């Protein structure tokens, strides 16, 4: 919310107070030089101007060193102490005075609120006038100290989730300060975990699938084709070893190095930490409020409100990444002999990833970094504490002519991706990637990415909604993107990234 700009109407400085002098009356018979008695004058009182006290926009209500009002108050409240009783709800605000006060006998807010020698018989006092949304008026006690410009008043009697207008008012003259708005918020969610969301590294491995026929003469298996399929797992979901009977059609370990007895560690071409997701066991990825909403989304929305901003709809930024993690060649639960040796792909939930964002001017997809967290976006400011680290794009690609999908992070992809034009490999840029068939050779060889080796296969980038074979899964409602306000859009990422993930150091 932008600070309200208020126009100040300045009142002219008071004129010099006239001095009554003795009246000399020249009479023919008598001359007197006795001074005449001075009569009281109304000009002996001090006029208190309205609008000359300016309440600054950085006001905050705090309790237990935490903000309880809308506004960007985290830093301010963390420095405040409610004294012996931290439960006390206090509004902290700062003021500035114009020359109509600072350059006159009033001098400061204490002078504005107290009886001064030239006030005559009048007395002065101040209070905080509070108006609610219906126009009802109440007052709060206010007794400033001499020379002070920063103040606090107790607001424990004000209702939550209602907007109030507050002004400093001199009770006798009715002169007042500028006005501020304040809204106390209810049911603040406490982030008992604190700090950035927990991370989870993801591992990759592959299995070789063989297709063929049984020789009718000796019953041997004649291999006609071999394809490699890639799988992903986290530490808690490392796949079980295959059955020995399955090795005729599939193996997921290096049989040349480790023999024919199936093992599950190490797995074939096992690579650790190929990318990182957010750990689904972090309590903030659970529905702790009972309203069907992840706690991380509730915390982000609350942080946005505390900055004085409003949301037009609920945030929905994080999604679970479910992906093929291995082969199930064991008992399916039916118990029939036909189930033996049948290999089926199984999936597991790896963790959470975040929706990509779209630049409102260029319509190009991006993943937030520190530069965004320290921008003016209320959402990115809210993400600073909860996410905290740079993120990068996560992409999915399919092998040509084989239903094998792999996941690849942005840092690796941009070293090896290309599109073919005029028979040449061309490296895409952010300006040229849209509308192109983006491919790469895998396994990656960044030293010569445009020369296909005999062991490499061709992979093509796919949108999230193009992942259609196998049991890979990207949620239907995550295939779009979000603006910097967190509002979902169906506009697809220009470079086909399916989401954002924590960025690895290397």
């Amino acid at each position: 919310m932008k600070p309200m700009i208020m126009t100040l109407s300045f009142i002219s400085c008071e004129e010099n107070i006239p001095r009554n002098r003795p009246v000399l009356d020249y009479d023919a018979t008598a001359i007197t030089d006795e001074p005449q008695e001075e009569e009281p004058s109304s000009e002996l009182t001090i006029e208190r101007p309205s609008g000359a006290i300016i309440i600054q926009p950085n006001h905050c209500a705090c309790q237990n060193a935490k903000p309880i009002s809308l506004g960007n108050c985290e830093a301010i409240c963390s420095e405040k102490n409610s004294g012996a009783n931290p439960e006390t709800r206090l509004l902290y605000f700062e003021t500035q005075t114009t020359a109509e006060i600072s350059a006159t006998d009033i001098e400061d807010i204490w002078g504005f609120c107290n009886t001064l020698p030239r006030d005559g018989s009048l007395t002065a006092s101040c209070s905080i006038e509070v108006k609610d949304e219906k126009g009802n008026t109440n007052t709060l006690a206010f007794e400033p100290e001499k020379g002070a410009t920063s103040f606090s008043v107790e607001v424990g009697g004000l209702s939550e989730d209602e907007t109030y207008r507050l002004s400093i008012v001199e009770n006798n003259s009715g002169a007042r300060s500028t006005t501020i708005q304040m809204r106390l918020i209810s049911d603040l969610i406490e982030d008992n975990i604190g700090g950035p969301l927990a991370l989870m590294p993801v591992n990759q491995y592959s299995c070789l699938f063989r297709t063929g026929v049984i020789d009718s003469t000796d019953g041997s298996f004649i291999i006609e084709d071999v394809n490699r399929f890639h799988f992903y797992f986290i530490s808690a979901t490392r796949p079980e070893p295959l059955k020995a009977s399955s090795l005729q059609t599939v193996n997921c370990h290096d049989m040349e190095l480790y023999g024919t007895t199936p093992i599950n560690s190490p797995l074939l071409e096992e690579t650790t930490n190929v990318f990182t997701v957010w750990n689904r066991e972090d309590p903030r990825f659970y529905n702790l409020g009972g309203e069907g909403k992840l706690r991380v989304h509730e915390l982000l929305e609350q942080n946005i409100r505390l900055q004085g901003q409003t949301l037009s709809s609920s945030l929905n930024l994080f999604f679970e990444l479910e992906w093929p993690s291995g082969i199930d060649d064991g008992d399916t639960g039916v118990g029939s002999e036909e189930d033996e040796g049948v290999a089926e792909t199984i999936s597991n939930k790896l963790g959470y990833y975040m929706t990509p964002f779209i630049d409102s001017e260029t319509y190009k997809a991006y993943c937030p970094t520190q530069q965004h967290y320290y921008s003016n976006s209320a959402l990115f400011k809210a993400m600073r504490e909860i996410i905290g680290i740079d993120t990068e794009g996560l992409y999915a690609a399919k092998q040509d002519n084989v239903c094998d999908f792999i996941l690849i992070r942005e840092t690796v992809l941009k070293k090896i991706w290309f599109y073919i034009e005029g028979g040449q490999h061309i490296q895409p840029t952010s300006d040229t990637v849209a509308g192109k068939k983006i491919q790469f050779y895998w396994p990656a060889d960044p030293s010569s990415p445009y020369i296909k080796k005999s062991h490499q296969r061709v992979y093509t980038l796919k949108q999230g909604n193009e992942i259609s074979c196998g049991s890979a899964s990207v949620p239907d409602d995550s295939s779009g993107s979000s603006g910097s306000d967190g509002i979902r859009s169906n506009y697809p990422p220009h470079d086909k990234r399916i989401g954002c993930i924590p960025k690895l150091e290397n």
Side-chain angles (χ1 to χ4, degrees), residues 288-316:
L288 300 181
E291 298 180 356
K293 183 182 295 186
L294 298 182
R295 175 51 54 91
V296 62
H297 290 144
E298 293 178 328
L299 289 170
L300 288 171
E301 290 177 358
Q302 174 176 279
N303 195 309
I304 291 172
R305 291 197 304 271
L306 289 174
Q307 296 177 56
Q309 303 296 315
T310 57
L311 289 163
S312 59
S313 62
S314 296
L315 292 180
N316 198 19

Side-chain angles (χ1 to χ4, degrees), residues 388-454:
I389 62 173
D390 289 353
T391 61
E392 63 177 336
L394 179 66
Y395 299 78
K398 178 185 174 296
Q399 184 183 162
D400 285 3
N401 302 315
V402 179
C403 192
D404 173 40
F405 281 89
I406 67 171
L407 296 169
I408 183 170
R409 60 190 179 97
E410 182 175 355
T411 304
V412 175
L413 174 65
K414 289 189 173 180
K415 295 177 182 178
I416 59 175
W417 66 353
F418 61 83
Y419 61 92
I420 302 293
E421 197 168 275
Q424 301 294 318
H425 292 74
I426 300 177
Q427 185 177 27
T429 66
S430 182
D431 295 325
T432 62
V433 66
K436 298 292 195 300
K437 184 177 183 179
I438 305 300
Q439 299 180 305
F440 57 88
Y441 300 131
W442 192 263
D445 185 2
S447 62
S448 55
Y450 308 141
I451 300 175
K452 183 178 179 298
K453 290 76 175 176
S454 59

Side-chain angles (χ1 to χ4, degrees), residues 66-197:
K66 298 288 186 181
I68 57 172
S69 64
L70 292 179
N72 194 8
C73 294
E74 287 285 350
I76 293 176
C77 289
S78 66
E79 299 173 354
K80 300 298 183 182
N81 189 342
S82 300
N85 185 7
E87 293 292 330
T88 303
R89 295 185 165 199
L90 295 176
L91 171 65
Y92 297 90
F93 62 95
E94 297 179 358
T95 61
Q96 182 180 350
T97 57
T98 69
E100 293 178 90
I101 288 180
S102 60
T104 66
D105 289 348
I106 300 177
E107 293 186 352
D108 58 13
I109 297 179
W110 180 88
F112 183 87
C113 295
N114 282 272
T115 303
L116 300 176
R118 288 171 52 203
D119 270 356
S121 60
L122 298 178
T123 58
S125 64
C126 284
S127 60
I128 302 290
E129 181 185 87
V130 181
K131 283 189 176 182
D132 62 21
E133 296 171 349
K134 298 178 181 178
N136 300 320
T137 302
N138 201 348
T139 58
L140 302 175
F142 180 62
E143 297 180 2
E145 295 182 1
K146 190 173 182 59
T149 58
S150 299
F151 307 97
S152 64
V153 293
E154 188 171 343
V155 292
L158 301 184
S159 301
E160 298 170 338
D161 300 321
E162 184 167 358
T163 300
Y164 293 94
R165 293 170 58 84
L166 292 83
S167 307
I168 300 172
V169 177
E170 200 284 302
N171 296 318
N172 292 299
S173 65
R176 63 183 54 238
S177 69
T178 59
T179 301
I180 58 171
Q181 290 192 61
M182 181 193 69
R183 187 180 182 90
L184 300 179
I185 54 178
S186 61
D187 300 327
L188 279 179
I189 302 170
E190 190 71 28
D191 185 3
N192 297 321
I193 306 300
L197 296 167

Side-chain angles (χ1 to χ4, degrees), residues 100 111 262 264 275 282 298 371 380 401 451 474 502:
E100 293 178 90
N264 69 341
F275 61 87
D282 188 306
E298 293 178 328
Q371 180 181 357
F380 289 146
N401 302 315
I451 300 175
V474 175

Side-chain angles (χ1 to χ4, degrees), residues 231-296:
F231 299 97
Y232 297 85
F233 69 97
I234 59 176
S235 178
T237 60
R238 176 176 285 275
E240 297 180 0
L242 298 178
K243 291 188 174 183
S245 58
S246 299
L247 295 182
Q248 181 173 256
T249 56
V250 60
N251 68 285
C252 299
H253 74 284
D254 192 327
M255 292 191 295
E256 291 186 4
L257 288 177
Y258 302 105
T260 57
T261 301
I263 60 175
N264 69 341
S265 181
L267 293 159
L268 183 63
E269 299 176 330
E270 181 175 332
T271 307
T272 59
N273 301 351
V274 290
F275 61 87
T276 303
V277 292
W278 283 281
N279 191 339
R280 63 191 303 267
E281 296 304 321
D282 188 306
R284 289 166 289 188
F285 284 119
Y286 285 83
N287 172 23
L288 300 181
E291 298 180 356
K293 183 182 295 186
L294 298 182
R295 175 51 54 91
V296 62

